[in-house]
Amino acid sequence: MKTILKTVLALIAVSCAVAVLATRWEEVSAVLAGTSWSLLGLAAVGLLAYQVVNAGVWSTVLAALGMRPGFWSAARVWIESEALRWVPGGIWGYGSRVLSAPSLGVGKGTASASLVVEIILTNLAWAAAALLLLGAPWTGEFLEAVLHSGWIDVAALASAVIVALTVAILATRTGRSAAGRLLDPLLRRVPWQELRWRPVLGAFAAYAALCFFNGSVLWLTVQAVPGLDISPLETIGIAGAAWLIGFWAIGVPGGIGVREGALAWLLAHSGSLEAGMAVAVLWRALQVVVELAALGTAALTRAIPARRERREFGVLRVFNF
């Protein structure tokens, strides 16, 4: 029943995104016609570099748990496993990585713990990127509009916040919430007292740098499309917010549809909605192409000897301290 529900939610999310795009396709296609393909190609190269290095940082997370697999070996398993995240439910990429971990000499329990640490660090890193939106001029205007939209709206917002806080407090006190039942077993998988915190900090620094790099690549994509005037820092903040929204769209594979909608809406504050939608379409298309390229590269490079791997990627072991 849960699988059916998650599949239906995924289909609804994608259908809504397609429906909205269809209603404005004529305007969006006109924007796409003015795309700078050279800038888009440069963005694709940057996104491929991001994909490979981001996958390899998993080796640093594993180092925090006492394991030190090769950078490329860990990246290859990560890339091949992530291809399964498109299966409804969103957990198959993680499950595949746990099952593949023994090929790296990593136990399944350690692999499970590394996934929890990785999720926490990546969410913190993207949240740090999203904080840049606080400096965007339209953020203040949006908050001001909310506060001056009338006492009924403000009262409704305040009531919602109070209810949410009350539920959170009660859930914390009772320990019987669905979130608690989900998070507690996951958090208990991590041997917190045995963690090596220097690699943890190194992994966070790497993820944070990659988030900012990813946002910069998104800015290149924005520059390739006419109709948007936005700074690099604001674009990085938008990338962070859109990623978080897509990640927490539980049950929607890869956040598809949800993340694009958030990205288009946020970008539209610096231009037209059609331009924002065009960027969202191109950004998802780039990600799919790059992920396929990374998957193909991972399959073709299985024969890289471990010694050569250490030599080629040794510079990146700095994150392991």
Side-chain angles (χ1 to χ4, degrees), residues 53-291:
V53 177
N54 183 67
V57 175
W58 182 40
S59 64
T60 305
V61 178
L62 288 169
L65 293 161
M67 306 302 298
R68 290 185 178 272
F71 176 91
W72 180 248
S73 296
R76 185 169 57 244
V77 169
W78 192 101
I79 290 169
E80 292 174 347
S81 299
E82 276 294 291
L84 294 177
R85 81 179 190 279
W86 297 106
V87 178
I91 64 170
W92 304 110
Y94 295 119
S96 176
R97 218 183 324 164
V98 171
L99 293 176
S100 302
S103 67
L104 302 173
V106 177
K108 293 179 181 179
T110 301
S112 298
S114 74
L115 299 186
V116 177
V117 176
E118 178 188 273
I119 290 172
I120 292 172
L121 293 179
T122 50
N123 272 270
L124 288 174
W126 280 113
L131 285 175
L132 292 176
L133 274 183
L134 295 177
W138 59 266
T139 303
E141 295 171 3
F142 174 76
L143 293 175
E144 186 178 355
V146 171
L147 293 175
H148 291 82
S149 60
W151 69 270
I152 295 179
D153 291 338
V154 174
L157 179 62
S159 299
V161 171
I162 292 172
V163 170
L165 289 174
T166 302
V167 171
I169 292 171
L170 290 175
T172 302
R173 293 178 66 88
T174 62
R176 296 181 178 274
S177 68
R181 289 196 300 271
L182 174 65
L183 292 176
D184 285 349
L186 291 176
L187 294 175
R188 282 200 298 269
R189 289 178 180 272
V190 182
W192 298 105
Q193 294 181 345
E194 299 175 15
L195 273 184
R196 301 180 181 184
W197 289 101
R198 292 179 68 186
V200 168
L201 294 176
F204 174 73
Y207 283 132
L210 284 165
C211 290
F212 278 64
F213 179 75
N214 181 281
S216 301
V217 175
L218 175 60
W219 182 75
L220 271 181
T221 307
V222 170
Q223 297 308 299
V225 175
L228 291 171
D229 182 17
I230 186 170
S231 69
L233 289 181
E234 188 176 338
T235 307
I236 293 170
I238 288 174
W243 188 92
L244 289 169
I245 291 169
F247 180 85
W248 290 104
I250 305 298
V252 180
I256 189 168
V258 177
R259 186 169 290 157
E260 283 70 37
L263 181 61
W265 182 79
L266 290 167
L267 288 172
H269 287 85
S270 301
S272 66
L273 178 59
E274 291 75 23
M277 293 174 70
V279 170
V281 169
L282 288 173
W283 188 239
R284 176 59 78 175
L286 278 178
Q287 287 177 312
V288 172
V289 170
V290 163
E291 287 176 17

